[in-house]
C-alpha cells in the first residue's frame, strides 16, 4: 500500500539520521531535499573540502566534519550503518517467514552497526538476507549484559577472541569440542562462566560459527606473534590483545575493570564503549597525525604510549612539547624549571637534580609515567629534553577553557607554545595544537 510504504521509508530515513548523528555527534548533518527513487542502498562521495554528499531512501544529505576529511574507518562505519538498515528494510518485504529474519532486529541498533563494521560479510548480498546469526553482535550482547553484573561487589570483567576466516600462520584453528555451546547471552546466567575468564589475562575463543571452543591465556596466545610490529603503539595492558588480532581476521572484545568495552581488530583498538555510547577509536589516523606533528618517531611513540598507559590506570597527566625551548620561561614559573638551582626555590626543587639534563627518550617508560603522575605537567623540548615536571602551567587568557577544568585549560594554553597531550582521569587522551583540540581517544 502506498501510504504504508511511505511510512516505512520515512521511518528508515529517521533510523539512518539517528545512526549518523549517534556516531558523528560533532559533525554537521543536514538533509538537502528529495532524491529520485527511494532505494534502501546508501551511496556517498567525497567533496574536495573533505565533506560528504550522501543519498539514502530518496533523500540527499550533506555531512561535514569540521572541515576535516573523513577517515577510512569513518567511511567504513557509514557503509555499515547503510548495510544494516538496508538488510532490515529488505526483510520487511522479503518473501520469507518472520522467524527467519527476526534475528536482524535483535539487540541494540548501534551494536549492529559496530558488528557490520567489524564483519560486513553477512550484509553484502543485496538480493538476499543474512540467514546466520551475527557472531559479533552476540559477543557484544554478552559483554553488555555482563557489565551489569557484580561479583562480591566488584565489576565483572571478561573477554573473547572471535576467530576469523582469514589464514592465520601462527595459530591452528581449534577443533569443535564435545558439548560446545553457542557464545550467546544464555551463558551469562551461568555463575561459573564469569569466573573462568577475566578478559585481561584470559579470554574465551569462539569459532566463526559462534561456538565457544576454548579458554586461553592471551599472553601465551599472542606470543607466537611477539616479533611482529603493531600498526600503532598500544597501552601495555592490551598489547597482547592487539597482537592476537594482527593476523587471521580475528576480533577481540574485552569488558574492562572500568566497565568499558574495548574492541580490537587488525592489531589496533577500533571501538570503545564508554559512558553509554560507542566511539570509533581511529587510532591509526590519530597516531599518524600526532607522529607527523611531533616529527621524531621515538618521541611520539614514547609520549603516546605513556599517555595510553596512564589513561588505562585512570591517572591524569599532561605532556607538553615546546616548539621553542625558550618559551618554557613564559609557560612555567622559574622555580619549577629543572635548570633552576636557586637555593631559595621550593622544596620540590631540592630534588630536581635527579631529573636535570634527562631526556624522555633515555628514561624508562615506567619512570616517565611515574613523574607524569605528579600534580602538574611535564614540559620538554622537541628533542625530548625534560624542562619541568609537576609544573603548574601559566594559563592566562584561557577563561573559556576553564569551564572544562584546570587540566584542560592548561593544555589549551600550553598548546599555543607547541603540542600538548592531556590525559583525563576518566580514561580519555586528548591532543591539542595551536589552542585547539585536534583529536580525542
Amino acid at each position: 500500500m502506498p501510504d504504508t510504504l511511505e511510512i516505512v521509508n520515512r521511518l528508515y530515513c529517521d533510523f539512518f539520521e539517528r545512526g549518523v548523528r549517534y556516531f558523528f555527534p560533532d559533525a554537521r548533518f543536514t538533509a538537502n531535499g528529495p532524491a529520485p527513487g527511494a532505494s534502501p542502498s546508501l551511496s556517498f562521495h567525497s567533496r574536495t573540502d573533505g565533506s560528504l554528499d550522501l543519498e539514502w531512501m530518496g533523500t540527499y544529505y550533506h555531512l561535514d566534519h569540521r572541515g576535516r576529511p573523513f577517515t577510512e574507518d569513518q567511511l567504513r562505519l557509514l557503509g555499515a550503518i547503510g548495510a544494516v538498515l538496508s538488510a532490515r528494510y529488505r526483510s520487511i518485504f522479503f518473501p520469507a517467514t518472520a522467524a527467519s529474519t527476526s534475528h536482524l532486529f535483535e539487540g541494540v541498533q548501534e551494536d549492529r552497526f559496530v558488528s557490520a563494521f567489524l564483519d560486513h560479510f553477512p550484509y553484502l548480498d543485496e538480493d538476499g538476507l543474512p540467514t546466520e546469526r551475527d557472531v559479533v553482535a552476540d559477543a557484544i550482547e554478552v559483554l553488555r549484559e555482563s557489565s551489569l553484573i557484580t561479583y562480591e561487589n566488584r565489576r565483572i570483567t571478561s573477554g573473547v577472541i572471535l576467530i576469523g576466516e582469514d589464514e592465520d600462520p601462527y595459530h591452528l584453528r581449534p577443533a569443535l569440542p564435545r558439548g560446545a555451546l553457542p557464545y550467546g547471552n544464555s551463558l551469562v546466567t551461568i555463575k561459573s562462566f564469569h569466573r573462568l575468564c577475566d578478559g585481561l589475562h584470559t579470554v574465551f575463543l569462539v569459532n566463526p560459527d559462534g561456538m565457544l571452543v576454548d579458554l586461553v591465556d592471551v599472553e601465551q596466545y599472542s606470543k607466537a606473534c611477539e616479533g611482529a610490529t603493531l600498526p600503532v603503539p598500544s597501552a601495555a595492558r592490551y598489547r597482547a590483545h592487539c597482537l592476537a588480532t594482527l593476523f587471521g581476521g580475528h576480533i577481540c572484545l574485552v569488558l574492562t575493570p572500568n566497565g568499558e568495552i574495548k574492541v580490537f581488530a587488525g592489531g589496533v583498538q577500533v571501538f570503545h564503549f564508554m559512558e553509554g555510547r560507542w566511539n570509533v577509536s581511529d587510532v591509526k589516523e590519530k597516531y599518524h597525525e600526532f607522529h607527523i606533528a611531533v616529527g621524531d618517531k621515538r618521541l611520539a611513540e614514547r609520549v603516546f604510549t605513556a599517555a595510553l598507559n596512564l589513561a588505562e590506570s585512570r591517572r591524569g597527566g599532561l605532556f607538553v612539547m615546546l616548539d621553542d625551548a625558550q618559551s618554557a620561561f613564559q609557560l612555567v614559573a622559574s622555580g619549577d624549571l629543572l635548570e633552576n638551582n636557586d637555593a631559595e626555590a621550593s622544596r620540590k626543587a631540592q630534588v630536581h637534580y635527579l631529573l636535570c639534563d634527562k631526556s624522555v627518550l633515555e628514561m624508562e617508560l615506567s619512570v616517565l609515567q611515574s613523574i607524569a603522575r605528579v600534580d602538574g605537567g611535564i614540559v620538554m623540548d622537541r628533542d625530548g629534553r625534560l624542562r619541568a615536571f609537576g609544573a603548574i602551567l601559566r594559563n592566562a587568557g584561557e577563561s573559556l577553557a576553564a569551564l572544562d577544568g584546570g587540566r584542560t585549560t592548561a593544555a589549551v594554553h600550553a598548546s599555543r607554545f607547541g603540542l600538548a597531550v592531556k590525559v583525563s582521569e576518566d580514561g580519555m587522551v586528548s591532543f591539542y595544537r595551536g589552542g585547539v583540540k585536534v583529536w580525542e581517544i
Side-chain angles (χ1 to χ4, degrees), residues 25-41:
D26 297 329
R28 291 191 294 267
F29 182 52
T30 55
N32 287 346
S39 171
S41 178

Side-chain angles (χ1 to χ4, degrees), residues 73-319:
D73 280 357
Q74 289 172 335
L75 294 176
R76 181 175 170 183
L77 179 57
L78 282 171
I81 293 172
V84 171
L85 293 179
S86 177
R88 287 183 169 182
Y89 180 91
R90 287 183 282 111
S91 73
I92 299 173
F93 306 100
F94 201 78
T97 64
S100 65
T101 58
S102 61
H103 67 278
L104 287 172
F105 297 87
E106 294 177 357
V108 180
Q109 179 171 265
E110 290 76 24
D111 292 355
R112 285 282 177 164
F113 298 153
V114 172
S115 171
F117 174 98
L118 296 166
D119 182 11
H120 59 276
F121 182 77
Y123 302 95
L124 286 179
D125 186 4
E126 293 190 359
D127 297 323
L129 293 172
T131 57
E132 303 295 330
R133 294 196 62 84
D134 189 327
V135 174
V136 181
D138 285 348
I140 292 173
E141 188 172 359
V142 169
L143 297 189
R144 263 191 183 272
E145 294 196 17
S146 298
S147 70
L148 304 175
I149 301 172
T150 59
Y151 175 67
E152 294 183 349
N153 294 324
R154 287 178 295 181
R155 286 180 181 269
I156 292 293
T157 61
S158 188
V160 58
I161 293 176
L162 307 178
I163 298 173
E165 296 279 7
D166 300 341
E167 181 180 352
D168 182 352
Y170 296 101
H171 301 101
L172 295 175
R173 185 163 296 180
L176 185 67
R178 183 178 180 181
L181 297 172
Y183 187 79
N185 57 5
S186 61
L187 295 175
V188 179
T189 61
I190 303 174
K191 287 187 178 181
S192 59
F193 172 71
H194 294 110
R195 302 179 194 180
L196 291 175
C197 162
D198 68 3
L200 299 180
H201 307 98
T202 54
V203 293
F204 293 115
L205 284 188
V206 172
N207 71 11
D209 296 323
M211 304 303 290
L212 181 58
V213 294
D214 207 349
L215 173 65
V216 299
D217 181 290
V218 68
E219 290 280 354
Q220 291 299 318
Y221 186 82
S222 64
K223 186 164 269 187
C225 313
E226 189 63 36
T229 301
L230 292 176
V232 298
S234 164
R237 180 180 289 179
Y238 296 107
R239 187 173 188 277
H241 301 74
C242 290
L243 284 171
T245 66
L246 197 52
F247 304 100
H250 309 322
I251 300 167
C252 181
L253 299 96
V254 178
L255 175 60
T256 76
N258 300 307
E260 177 184 2
I261 298 176
K262 291 180 177 290
V263 183
F264 304 90
V268 299
Q269 178 181 304
V270 288
F271 280 97
H272 63 280
F273 181 82
M274 188 168 64
E275 296 181 350
R277 67 179 301 112
W278 285 105
N279 296 276
V280 58
S281 300
D282 248 333
V283 178
K284 284 184 182 179
E285 293 286 344
K286 291 171 181 176
Y287 177 69
H288 177 73
E289 191 168 9
F290 179 66
H291 170 210
I292 296 300
V294 173
D296 186 304
K297 180 180 179 180
R298 290 178 59 216
L299 183 59
E301 182 175 344
R302 179 60 58 92
V303 173
F304 192 80
T305 304
L308 292 179
N309 287 339
L310 287 172
E312 289 304 329
S313 60
R314 294 303 191 262
R315 299 297 297 265
L318 179 60
F319 300 88

Side-chain angles (χ1 to χ4, degrees), residues 17 45 59 136 289 296 379 386 437:
E17 292 170 11
H45 69 270
T59 303
V136 181
E289 191 168 9
D296 186 304
V379 181
L386 200 61
K437 181 164 69 175

Side-chain angles (χ1 to χ4, degrees), residues 290-438:
F290 179 66
H291 170 210
I292 296 300
V294 173
D296 186 304
K297 180 180 179 180
R298 290 178 59 216
L299 183 59
E301 182 175 344
R302 179 60 58 92
V303 173
F304 192 80
T305 304
L308 292 179
N309 287 339
L310 287 172
E312 289 304 329
S313 60
R314 294 303 191 262
R315 299 297 297 265
L318 179 60
F319 300 88
V320 179
M321 289 157 279
L322 301 173
D323 290 335
D324 180 0
Q326 294 304 309
S327 61
F329 296 97
Q330 297 175 259
L331 186 62
V332 182
S334 60
D336 281 334
L337 292 172
L338 289 173
E339 59 260 44
N340 185 359
N341 295 316
D342 187 353
E344 299 299 322
S346 65
R347 286 185 177 272
K348 183 177 70 175
Q350 296 176 17
V351 295
H352 275 183
Y353 72 92
L354 293 172
L355 295 168
C356 194
D357 297 323
K358 290 288 183 71
S359 171
V360 169
L361 295 173
E362 296 171 356
M363 65 176 61
E364 295 292 334
L365 189 61
S366 59
V367 175
L368 176 60
Q369 292 166 193
S370 180
I371 63 175
R373 295 188 182 102
V374 179
D375 289 342
I378 287 182
V379 181
M380 66 191 80
D381 298 341
R382 281 303 187 94
D383 59 3
R385 187 167 72 92
L386 200 61
R387 300 299 304 275
F389 74 95
I392 305 303
L393 308 182
R394 297 187 173 111
N395 51 39
E398 304 293 348
S399 56
L400 291 178
L403 296 174
D404 293 324
R407 188 177 287 123
T408 300
T409 303
V412 170
H413 187 68
S415 70
R416 302 188 188 281
F417 298 89
L419 311 175
V421 176
K422 183 197 75 169
V423 185
S424 302
E425 293 179 4
D426 61 4
M428 302 300 291
V429 177
S430 306
F431 172 45
Y432 294 82
R433 185 175 193 179
V436 176
K437 181 164 69 175
V438 181

